[in-house]
Amino acid sequence: MQKLPDSMTVVAIQEPGGPDVLRMEERPVPEPGPGEILIRVAAAGVNRPDVLQRKGAYPPPAGASDLPGLEVSGEVVARGEGAGRHEIGARVTALAPGGGYAAYCKVPEGHALPVPEGLTMVEAAALPETFFTVWSNVFDRCGLATGERFLVHGGTSGIGTTAIQLAKAFEAEVFTTVGSGEKADAARKLGADHVINYKEQAFEKAILEISGGEGVNVILDMVGGEYVERNWKAAAVEGRICQIATLNGVSESVNFSRLMVKRLTHTGSTLRPRSDSFKSAIADTLLERVWPLIGPGRIGPVMDSVFPLGQAAEAHRRMESSGHIGKIVLTVED
């Protein structure tokens, strides 16, 4: 086994603030603990939680690295005690509790999956955060079934592009909201059956019109705010809504009678604080049911832009502009 360096280049958050607080520095290479693997990072995905952490609004859970970065791809270069799922030299992509903006990242071995055949390391780094999130919320929590109507807001975000593809792969009728004609075209190319420009029409009215007044069975929402009650209007009787973010803030007041009359279920979750065993169980299900579907010409990450690690601030500006279509990824030089 080749000797690993003592130190590595990372991007750290100097203090809460704007993108410019992301700075390059040197840190010791982490040592994998029991059940962990160490990955030499080839690429790291950029996600909304990274932006929130940078602003001081989403602190890492106890024991996690203070560095941003929740998904990486690369090569396994070391294993902690008891870790035997992935061989040294294996090409993997992994969900990380933090620490992805670095040359090396340690993760629980159960959170890593093999790089799907035909995907580059950059593409593979764009998989874990959105695929873990969409599967656990849309399919596990809300039980989206074949033939049901499904709505995801922000159809060209990383979550949105993944949700559209997975819902179509499992034969749902897919609705999505977007904010421009360019994004509408992108969503349709991914397989969305009904694309609604929320700047031009009220999505809840459009959905009820398209569905003959029946509404959608499952909704995945990252917006919050006034969308909470509008989602209830768009939902079918016995509909299920899952809240995974509140980008437009919290709702000050809602009409709970609509929730009761329609017998709706409004649930929510965050992924990062969940247990290692919970995330490993999602990984096992993805490996069995979703990974065989991933590859060129099938389903996979939609790539927006790629930045070198040293330009993490620019990557965050791209994320915050909301102009991106798909995933933003950082590459790490060996």
Side-chain angles (χ1 to χ4, degrees), residues 62-269:
S65 170
D66 65 322
L67 299 175
L70 301 179
E71 58 185 349
V72 298
S73 66
E75 176 188 351
V76 177
V77 292
R79 300 187 293 187
E81 181 182 354
R85 181 176 297 196
H86 305 281
E87 298 292 333
I88 298 295
R91 289 161 45 90
V92 298
T93 180
L95 189 72
Y101 289 18
Y104 293 86
C105 179
K106 65 176 184 177
V107 303
E109 66 167 351
H111 301 181
L113 291 161
V115 173
E117 186 176 351
L119 263 61
T120 67
M121 282 293 196
V122 171
E123 292 169 328
L127 292 174
E129 177 68 14
T130 59
F131 276 75
F132 276 68
T133 297
V134 171
W135 186 268
S136 63
N137 288 290
V138 174
F139 295 91
D140 285 344
R141 292 184 70 82
C142 288
L144 181 67
T146 297
E148 288 194 312
R149 298 187 184 100
F150 168 67
L151 165 65
V152 59
H153 290 295
T156 55
S157 66
I159 291 289
T161 55
T162 299
I164 290 171
Q165 292 181 85
L166 284 181
K168 286 301 295 181
F170 289 90
E171 300 181 359
E173 182 179 355
V174 178
F175 294 70
T176 192
T177 58
V178 298
S180 72
E182 179 188 10
K183 291 184 175 183
D185 290 341
R188 290 190 186 96
K189 287 179 181 177
L190 289 172
D193 298 290
H194 312 286
V195 182
I196 302 161
N197 188 328
Y198 64 84
K199 295 180 179 179
E200 297 178 350
Q201 56 185 325
F203 71 83
E204 66 274 27
K205 293 181 181 179
I207 287 170
L208 291 174
E209 181 178 343
I210 293 167
S211 65
E214 293 185 359
V216 292
N217 305 101
V218 174
I219 300 174
L220 184 64
D221 183 35
M222 306 86 101
V223 182
E226 66 171 11
Y227 271 37
V228 170
E229 193 159 357
R230 294 174 68 185
N231 285 332
W232 293 357
K233 292 178 181 178
V237 172
E238 303 280 3
R240 293 92 72 195
I241 303 101
C242 192
Q243 202 74 46
I244 58 170
T246 54
L247 296 177
N248 279 9
V250 297
S251 178
E252 295 296 331
S253 63
V254 292
N255 179 3
F256 279 96
S257 64
R258 183 169 287 108
L259 185 80
M260 297 184 298
V261 169
K262 286 188 172 182
R263 301 186 298 281
L264 303 177
T265 299
H266 195 140
T267 184
S269 74

